[in-house]
Amino acid sequence: MVDSQSTERIFHRVLKDKWQQISHGEGIYLYDTEGRRYLDACAGVHVVSIGHGVKEVVEAMTEQASKVCFTYSRFLTQSQIDLADKIGAMAPEGLNKAFFISGGSEATESAMKIARKYHLSTGNPQKHKVVSRWQSWHGNTVGALSMSGRSSWRQDYDPYLLDFPHITPPYAYRCPYCKTQNACQLNCVEELERVIHQEGSENISAFIAEPVLGTSACGVAPPPEYFPAIREICDRHNILMIVDEVVTGFGRTGLNFAIEHWDVVPDIMATGKGLSSGYSPIAATLVHERIYDAIYQKETHYVHGHTYGGNPLSCAVALAVQNYIEDHNLVERCARMGDLMLEQMKALEALPIVGEVRGKGLLLGAEFVADKETRAPFAVERGVTAMVVNKMFDRGVLIMPGAPGLIDGVAGDHIAVSPPFTIDEAEVKETVDVMREVILEVGEELGY
Ligand code: PLP
């Protein structure tokens, strides 16, 4: 018999002496079993866009659960059809074929395979490599990890990873090109062209990028010319453009999809997290009808899929979430609260250890530096990111640590902030006030 407080049967992702258990959530708050309240200023992991405990979603869940929770992929259910209609109508023009899976890694991995299948179907069987960027995250499965540009998470599994090229991301604060120029010359875009020549365009199937970075360098976004230039290169070399909207999709940056900020239509879009706001696991890879039609020109079968893809319960939940976002104008609210939060967080750049604050909508980040002039990072051993995150946790505000190795795969401290879209003005102020207090305290402890 295992005592109810023991966690010894769990394969933990991190070892600690004490785990807080969450008893329930309401709005932007989580409550633990000891009665502590936490302001969830990272929406879990950029997931819970509509806040916790929304009764309309629970009602939709109950209604679907009372009908059917699982069907074999031989069948469809109304919830799957309705959800595909809903998100197809929201997505950029033409991206109206939804391939349902359970999470973001499956969404990017499916995107990779759909791109491959498209090239097989259109007479380019050699095209298979996906070009991606450093300081990126596309997920933990082997294909997704091969595309991801996060050294710290890749290194243990390196022997399994596919031979995919990575290029420099548009990360202006640390751009090796911009450093020596007054303005951005889009040299990182030229790198794509260079890699295509080096690898041979006949081998390259797709390019994948997050329009606004998530936890790898939260809030970093490229200049207006970036994605149009990428689109042009992809078209010229018959390379599919995949955008990873697992974090940014469904309103997080203040528009339905972040790529709309650049007015570019990709060929494939991977989505996840915000689709169901975490109420049930579901993700969708949205595919342009042109790609779909090309695949099905000769085939009657697309060989790839996962057991829970199109799960009727998850589809009903996601549909209720998207209806709730629409009915309450939450995307517009996200844009408004995001502007307010960015303005308040930007003021933190005056603090001694804050190098840069950045973001779009409610996807924001702050980077810490040991020297604001040279932008030198803190020594990794100082654990500055953890100091900030833990002190905020102690004050009841949850934010995410930015992924390790922000700058060069090893060094770099930063945080990620992404509250539910339902956050109000007072809660924005409270979050940023606590952040300011904590960053000042950490600075003092570091001798600033
Ligand atoms: N893509 C991006 C941009 C992500 O941030 C993540 C996860 O954080 C993924 C893909 C992978 O999603 P999942 O963890 O649901 O597999």
Side-chain angles (χ1 to χ4, degrees):
M1 180 78 175
V2 179
D3 116 44
S4 70
Q5 292 309 307
S6 162
T7 67
E8 67 188 21
R9 296 266 165 86
I10 292 182
F11 189 129
H12 292 294
R13 288 183 64 197
V14 58
L15 296 182
K16 32 183 190 175
D17 294 336
K18 182 170 192 285
W19 286 90
Q20 251 82 26
Q21 280 190 42
I22 294 300
S23 63
H24 64 287
E26 199 181 323
I28 70 159
Y29 295 98
L30 286 170
Y31 297 83
D32 73 16
T33 47
E34 292 168 7
R36 278 199 71 189
R37 187 177 88 154
Y38 305 88
L39 192 163
D40 188 6
C42 52
V45 268
H46 324 302
V47 173
V48 188
S49 48
I50 65 169
H52 301 278
V54 171
K55 79 171 180 351
E56 286 88 335
V57 180
V58 177
E59 282 163 10
M61 195 181 282
T62 312
E63 192 186 327
Q64 181 65 44
S66 67
K67 292 180 190 159
V68 65
C69 286
F70 185 81
T71 55
Y72 171 48
S73 63
R74 172 180 204 112
F75 300 106
L76 289 176
T77 55
Q78 195 60 47
S79 61
Q80 191 176 346
I81 296 166
D82 291 347
L83 180 62
D85 280 347
K86 177 91 189 169
I87 61 180
M90 293 164 70
E93 185 78 44
L95 281 156
N96 53 29
K97 301 289 181 186
F99 184 78
F100 289 114
I101 51 278
S102 308
S105 305
E106 286 180 12
T108 57
E109 189 124 352
S110 297
M112 175 186 99
K113 289 187 174 162
I114 290 167
R116 166 83 183 139
K117 185 68 185 173
Y118 168 78
H119 291 302
L120 285 173
S121 305
T122 52
N124 292 294
Q126 219 178 302
K127 279 185 171 282
H128 66 289
K129 291 192 182 188
V130 181
V131 181
S132 60
R133 311 182 304 189
W134 291 111
Q135 282 89 5
S136 67
W137 186 244
H138 302 296
N140 265 315
T141 52
V142 168
L145 192 58
S146 301
M147 297 187 280
S148 296
R150 186 181 297 172
S151 313
S152 54
W153 285 52
R154 287 167 57 95
Q155 60 196 18
D156 286 358
Y157 308 105
D158 195 64
Y160 305 129
L161 298 184
L162 301 164
D163 175 23
F164 286 171
H166 295 71
I167 62 171
T168 304
Y171 170 21
Y173 186 68
R174 302 235 172 239
C175 176
Y177 303 112
C178 296
K179 216 160 137 175
T180 56
Q181 298 157 174
N182 288 330
C184 173
Q185 311 273 338
L186 292 184
N187 300 88
C188 57
V189 176
E190 281 169 22
E191 234 183 84
L192 175 59
E193 185 100 46
R194 204 155 53 236
V195 161
I196 292 168
H197 288 303
Q198 279 163 349
E199 300 278 338
S201 69
E202 68 282 8
N203 294 311
I204 310 285
S205 154
F207 170 78
I208 186 169
E210 297 152 82
V212 181
L213 289 183
T215 318
S216 303
C218 201
V220 165
E225 305 79 17
Y226 182 83
F227 280 113
I230 293 279
R231 176 77 266 185
E232 190 277 322
I233 294 173
C234 287
D235 286 344
R236 197 151 31 81
H237 294 282
N238 189 21
I239 289 170
L240 298 192
M241 179 180 172
I242 304 172
V243 293
D244 181 345
E245 297 250 12
V246 169
V247 167
T248 51
F250 304 105
R252 171 73 43 207
T253 67
L255 292 177
N256 280 338
F257 297 97
I259 195 65
E260 295 171 59
H261 292 286
W262 287 267
D263 204 14
V264 162
V265 179
D267 298 300
I268 305 178
M269 198 156 75
T271 74
K273 301 184 188 266
L275 175 53
S276 71
S277 186
Y279 280 78
S280 184
I282 184 169
T285 303
L286 300 178
V287 181
H288 198 285
E289 56 199 12
R290 179 177 65 84
I291 307 300
Y292 178 88
D293 290 346
I295 291 173
Y296 278 109
Q297 217 173 16
K298 295 200 200 108
E299 310 272 352
T300 54
H301 219 131
Y302 169 60
V303 185
H304 170 64
H306 295 270
T307 298
Y308 289 120
N311 178 268
L313 183 60
S314 293
C315 286
V317 167
L319 183 61
V321 167
Q322 294 311 316
N323 286 335
Y324 187 86
I325 290 177
E326 187 179 5
D327 293 347
H328 294 81
N329 284 324
L330 290 186
V331 178
E332 181 274 327
R333 185 189 173 102
C334 171
R336 198 158 34 85
M337 290 300 135
D339 285 349
L340 183 71
M341 197 160 203
L342 181 62
E343 187 190 323
Q344 295 182 18
M345 279 180 64
K346 269 280 175 195
L348 304 180
E349 286 182 348
L351 305 184
I353 65 165
V354 178
E356 190 186 53
V357 166
R358 51 229 173 187
K360 245 191 203 322
L362 282 170
L363 187 59
L364 302 138
E367 179 170 344
F368 306 111
V369 286
D371 184 326
K372 287 170 80 123
E373 197 67 31
T374 62
R375 303 183 180 181
F378 286 101
V380 177
E381 312 72 68
R382 302 197 94 156
V384 173
T385 300
M387 284 172 83
V388 174
V389 173
N390 293 342
K391 282 178 187 290
M392 288 196 65
F393 181 91
D394 292 342
R395 286 164 169 84
V397 179
L398 307 178
I399 58 163
M400 277 189 73
L406 165 73
I407 301 168
D408 53 4
V410 182
D413 287 285
H414 60 133
I415 53 171
V417 185
S418 54
F421 307 166
T422 49
I423 193 168
D424 67 22
E425 286 85 351
E427 291 156 343
V428 165
K429 183 170 182 314
E430 182 189 342
T431 305
V432 182
D433 284 350
V434 171
M435 214 180 292
R436 169 184 291 278
E437 198 179 294
V438 160
I439 294 171
L440 276 170
E441 193 177 303
V442 169
E444 272 168 30
E445 284 177 25
L446 293 166
Y448 287 81

